[in-house]
Amino acid sequence: MSELFEAVDALVASRAVLPPPEERRRLRRAHGLTIDEVASALKVRRATVSGWEAGKAEPRPPERDAYARLLDTLAELYPAAPAEVAAPAPEAAVSATFTAAPDPDPAEAQALSTGSASEAAPMTANEISQTTSAPVAAARAAAPCPARTTRPSSSRRPGVKKTASTGTPAGSTDPRFENGPLAVVDVVDGQALAYCTGGLVLDVPAKSLPALVDWTLREAKLGAPKLAGPGKDADPLIVLTEAALERYGLPVTLTEEEKHAGRIPEGHKVIKQLARAEWKLTKRGFGPWARIYRPATGSERACVQLCIPSWNALDSRHWGGAAQLAPAELARVLGVYASRVMTPRGSTAVTGLELMTALHPPTRASEPDADGKRHSEHNPGSLGKDAIDPMDFPPCEVPDGHPVLKDLPRFHVRGPAEKLFEEAYDWARPMTDAECALRHLVGIDVNMAFAAGANGLNVGLGEATHVKAPAFDPKLPGSWLVDLSHVDLSRVKVAKDKWVELDGSLLPSPFTPKGERPAGPGWYATPTVAYAQELGYEVRPVEAWVRYDNGRYLDGWYSRLRDAYLATMADLGVESDLSPADFLAAMDGYKVRDPELAIVVSAIKATVKGGLGKLRERPRGEGWRPGEPWRALSRPTWRPDIRAAVISRTRINLHRKIVKHAAFTGQYPIAILSDCVVYAANGPSPLDFLPYRDGKPLPGGFKLGINPGLVKWEGTQDVLWGEEVRERFNAPELNLARYIKDGTVTDVDTGE
């Protein structure tokens, strides 16, 4: 009989009533859940859940019953107004938890994001933000303040919000960090509140900054587990709004002098309060990203990171308008970033560098000795605990002003034979008559190009060894002095024993950032020299600095940032398995679907570029003079050779695709800027010049898609626009890739 009952239950479950796709998405966002979390709970792929929310598919038993139960519970927690269910619009009131902005009206989104180049220039990100911000701001103002979740207690300990699907606390599964990695502290009606991830709001009893730090460590249950076995847990992050700054006696904005110094004065009353409470600050002092700590005792850490948006902690170039978001929305943006990348440790550049260390901690515990004790030892595959002595870096790898170069004559300019100069492309050429006869200039951009360049790259881990007249080894990371001026791009090898004839005058050299053919010997990173061999030409290095201790140090870093990028883009409706046409359609206006997640995408991309840039950080004031060491040189992660290798490989990857495209289609780029390439075409879409056959791209060429290394549409302008701009500024080789996105020409550099 029980089997019959189970069969009947299964039959009923197979017809479980589900809300429409738009409501499913609203309920998930209202509770602060990601598609990944729902997919994990239901034991399905994330693409499956995305399809359910897009209306492309319907769940089947047994997942249908569980999914229906989840949605029913969320609907009880976040009931929608009747008008919102019937006709969602930008003016509809947002959820009380403020975890997501309302979806724009499809017709309005279409009007915002479409339009051909002949009708109007594409809208900029700022214009889109301004167009959509007014109704969202009005909805925020009309919505009630989030309800506080507290646990009855005389000590006012923070409450814990249970999720409907699993009955576990919202946030981390680690009970030490059950309230998530961070909180945004604001003051409402005289009461300090901490807005955490997942819509959780905590009462904050602290009346001073030292008390806030103490409460964070003792009661808030904030933080995140370590990313690697020998690593350390992430310290809790507290974001202070302007109202919170006033409550705790801090200035709402910094003076010009304080901005220049990057901190408030040492004699500020709040710093004195911290000192009396025996809290310490790092050498950078109390700035936009202050770290407050006490020396560790054993394995216990006592450290809190502060983020102060009104002091420009969240740079608008990377975080968009995050600093202007409401507390709950800011908690959502930073929370998604923290869960997918890591808890921010400073700027996106600082976080990118810290992510490398978090994934490859410099030390680990040794095996027990004779007395059963463990000791700290070097963690294989990491960059080690101690930095390489600045004087041990090869002269060719260091930037101007480095201590290694202090004996050079004043005003000496190092040439290619003295300096490793691996940088991204900034190249352009005049258009041919045939290209001028076409109608459009179409820009394509490589997704996460520098992250893709880091994937699988063998880099040096230790010090360099100097060798004379070495045989080139493409698997050995290093810097090589070699003459590549004999490489002729008019005849190159594109496959084994397959040579092709090209118009070399229309191609940039792969060996220099400006695309100029080398005039003689120069220093190059291993990927650049290996590409010369790949093109079919012999290479004979004169000397080299090679690193025999090497490994794929950046693989884990790449994988985490790739996964973060793909997951966030999927939440925005851009999946990794779309057809070319569907991909272009999905990318059209993706930022307006969820402006908060669009901010996360921007921050992830900035983390890649900034983290790599930090590998060769230059002096930042501090009274530095050329020839003297600067602070960054003391880090194990100050590694200009690794930065050079990644940039070299990224540039070579792009050139390889350009050559394959030219060999197959006879089309050559007009301009290249970093990871953006511009071609002349008869149509406004990348599909008008990319050689797809039956939906399949050219092997080894450009492929449309969201994965790192694939390309997306960057922008389209008229050929007449390009010619007019170059004529106006009397610059036949003006780099049009710099302006292809929206056609606005500013800060023109003619190269003179």
Side-chain angles (χ1 to χ4, degrees):
M1 185 65 69
S2 61
E3 294 180 357
L4 292 177
F5 288 164
E6 291 175 0
V8 170
D9 290 342
L11 184 62
V12 173
S14 69
R15 300 296 189 270
V17 179
L18 299 175
E22 297 81 5
E23 179 68 0
R24 303 171 194 174
R25 187 185 308 114
R26 186 194 72 82
L27 291 171
R28 173 179 60 78
R29 290 178 175 173
H31 201 61
L33 298 175
T34 65
I35 291 181
D36 286 322
E37 289 173 328
V38 175
S40 177
L42 299 178
K43 294 181 173 53
V44 296
R45 297 186 305 118
R46 71 180 323 280
T48 302
V49 177
S50 180
W52 295 345
E53 291 189 356
K56 296 180 179 179
E58 287 296 311
R60 298 179 179 179
E63 292 83 6
R64 186 182 182 92
D65 184 36
Y67 189 45
R69 182 175 302 180
L70 169 64
L71 296 175
D72 287 344
T73 308
L74 293 179
E76 293 177 3
L77 293 172
Y78 310 102
E84 182 180 352
V85 176
E91 293 79 11
V94 294
S95 165
T97 58
F98 292 163
T99 53
D103 291 333
D105 181 84
E108 181 179 339
Q110 181 75 6
L112 287 173
S113 58
T114 60
S116 66
S118 61
E119 295 171 347
M123 295 183 70
T124 65
N126 288 336
E127 290 170 336
I128 292 175
S129 175
Q130 292 168 5
T131 305
T132 59
S133 61
V136 173
R140 290 175 189 160
C145 178
R148 282 177 267 167
T149 304
T150 57
R151 180 185 305 159
S153 169
S154 58
S155 64
R156 303 184 71 183
R157 290 175 58 84
V160 181
K161 188 172 188 176
K162 302 290 184 177
T163 64
S165 57
T166 63
T168 57
S172 171
T173 56
D174 190 321
R176 298 173 300 159
F177 313 123
E178 63 181 22
N179 292 334
L182 55 90
V184 180
V185 176
D186 192 25
V187 178
V188 180
D189 297 331
Q191 171 62 52
L193 302 176
Y195 294 78
C196 306
T197 57
L200 177 66
V201 183
L202 310 176
D203 274 332
V204 182
K207 298 291 175 44
S208 67
L209 191 64
L212 175 64
V213 174
D214 189 68
W215 172 84
T216 300
L217 293 171
R218 291 178 182 272
E219 299 190 51
K221 294 188 177 180
L222 296 173
K226 57 189 177 183
L227 297 180
K232 300 175 182 177
D233 296 328
D235 298 319
L237 173 65
I238 296 295
V239 184
L240 298 177
T241 66
E242 293 183 9
L245 292 173
E246 293 178 347
R247 177 183 181 88
Y248 296 118
L250 291 165
V252 172
T253 58
L254 299 179
T255 65
E256 289 301 321
E257 184 179 351
E258 290 168 345
K259 289 179 182 177
H260 181 73
R263 67 185 75 181
I264 59 177
E266 295 293 330
H268 194 280
K269 63 178 183 180
V270 172
I271 296 182
K272 292 181 179 179
Q273 290 176 0
L274 291 169
R276 285 195 297 270
E278 299 183 342
W279 291 106
K280 297 180 179 294
L281 295 167
T282 60
K283 291 182 180 180
R284 292 195 178 275
F286 202 120
W289 289 94
R291 294 187 68 78
I292 303 172
Y293 73 98
R294 286 187 180 128
T297 55
S299 61
E300 294 296 323
R301 287 172 56 83
C303 183
V304 172
Q305 174 93 52
L306 296 185
C307 169
I308 306 178
S310 64
W311 293 7
N312 199 35
L314 301 175
D315 192 325
S316 59
R317 294 172 299 175
H318 309 140
W319 288 100
Q324 285 73 49
L325 291 175
E329 294 171 328
L330 180 55
R332 180 194 179 216
V333 168
L334 294 176
V336 172
Y337 179 90
S339 66
R340 293 178 177 177
V341 180
M342 71 178 298
T343 305
R345 292 288 303 273
S347 66
T348 50
V350 169
T351 304
L353 196 69
E354 290 289 338
L355 180 61
M356 297 180 193
T357 303
L359 293 169
H360 281 287
T363 60
R364 68 177 183 182
S366 68
E367 292 296 325
D369 59 16
D371 297 326
K373 295 182 179 180
R374 297 179 183 269
H375 306 277
S376 177
E377 66 177 12
H378 171 67
N379 184 26
S382 75
L383 294 181
K385 181 180 180 181
D386 300 317
I388 296 175
D389 190 304
M391 303 306 291
D392 289 337
F393 275 97
C396 64
E397 291 182 350
V398 299
D400 295 336
H402 191 276
V404 167
L405 308 175
K406 64 181 179 180
D407 294 330
L408 285 179
R410 192 178 182 187
F411 304 122
H412 175 75
V413 178
R414 294 186 293 163
E418 300 173 278
K419 180 180 180 180
L420 178 68
F421 192 61
E422 295 284 9
E423 298 295 339
Y425 266 130
D426 185 354
W427 169 87
R429 62 170 176 82
M431 284 187 275
T432 65
D433 292 341
E435 289 165 342
C436 288
L438 300 175
R439 296 180 58 192
H440 301 283
L441 296 175
V442 184
I444 53 176
D445 179 79
V446 182
N447 296 311
M448 301 272 283
F450 294 98
N455 182 30
L457 179 64
N458 208 30
V459 300
L461 300 177
E463 297 181 13
T465 300
H466 187 233
V467 290
K468 288 283 190 178
F472 176 67
D473 182 354
K475 296 181 180 179
L476 186 61
S479 302
W480 310 78
L481 180 61
V482 58
D483 189 350
L484 300 179
S485 60
H486 63 292
V487 178
D488 184 4
L489 294 180
S490 62
R491 186 173 185 272
V492 297
K493 184 188 291 185
V494 294
K496 185 178 180 180
D497 299 328
K498 182 180 179 181
W499 293 74
V500 296
E501 305 289 335
L502 301 173
D503 188 341
S505 65
L506 301 180
L507 286 171
S509 167
F511 310 127
T512 61
K514 291 292 185 180
E516 302 164 342
R517 187 167 180 170
W523 285 98
Y524 303 98
T526 298
T528 302
V529 185
Y531 186 56
Q533 272 192 338
E534 181 184 323
L535 292 175
Y537 292 86
E538 185 181 18
V539 294
R540 293 183 179 179
V542 178
E543 60 178 301
W545 291 89
V546 296
R547 288 174 167 83
Y548 296 107
D549 179 14
N550 54 69
R552 292 167 59 162
Y553 174 72
L554 295 172
D555 274 11
W557 182 80
Y558 160 79
S559 296
R560 187 157 181 89
L561 289 165
R562 174 204 61 198
D563 293 347
Y565 177 67
L566 293 180
T568 310
M569 288 302 296
D571 286 341
L572 286 165
V574 186
E575 297 282 357
S576 58
D577 56 354
L578 297 174
S579 67
D582 288 343
F583 168 71
L584 292 175
M587 287 293 294
D588 190 10
Y590 75 92
K591 292 183 180 179
V592 301
R593 294 176 197 144
D594 191 330
E596 293 168 20
L597 286 184
I599 292 174
V600 177
V601 171
S602 173
I604 292 171
K605 293 193 287 188
T607 303
V608 173
K609 291 186 177 181
L612 293 172
K614 278 281 186 180
L615 290 170
R616 198 195 66 168
E617 184 176 357
R618 303 298 304 276
R620 304 176 64 184
E622 303 171 0
W624 174 82
R625 293 182 180 180
E628 297 178 350
W630 58 91
R631 181 183 297 174
L633 299 186
S634 63
R635 293 193 319 245
T637 48
W638 193 83
R639 293 298 300 273
D641 56 303
I642 295 180
R643 173 188 176 274
V646 173
I647 294 176
S648 164
R649 190 158 184 246
T650 302
R651 193 182 67 246
I652 294 307
N653 285 346
L654 182 59
H655 196 276
R656 184 181 293 111
K657 296 178 189 299
I658 289 170
V659 167
K660 291 287 181 69
H661 185 84
F664 187 80
T665 66
Q667 298 169 337
Y668 296 84
I670 302 295
I672 310 173
L673 182 67
S674 188
D675 48 10
C676 175
V677 188
V678 176
Y679 283 90
N682 261 328
S685 167
L687 291 175
D688 291 315
F689 71 93
L690 293 182
Y692 274 85
R693 286 184 177 178
D694 300 325
K696 296 182 179 180
L698 171 69
F702 296 108
K703 178 182 179 182
L704 289 167
I706 198 59
N707 285 288
L710 306 188
V711 299
K712 61 180 182 293
W713 176 64
E714 179 68 5
T716 297
Q717 304 296 332
D718 293 336
V719 167
L720 293 178
W721 164 85
E723 287 297 279
E724 187 274 331
V725 168
R726 285 178 164 178
E727 183 178 346
R728 188 198 324 164
F729 294 100
N730 192 27
E733 296 184 3
L734 180 69
N735 195 333
L736 298 176
R738 192 183 306 276
Y739 317 107
I740 195 69
K741 190 166 189 174
D742 61 9
T744 303
V745 182
T746 57
D747 301 325
V748 169
D749 180 6
T750 61
E752 297 179 359

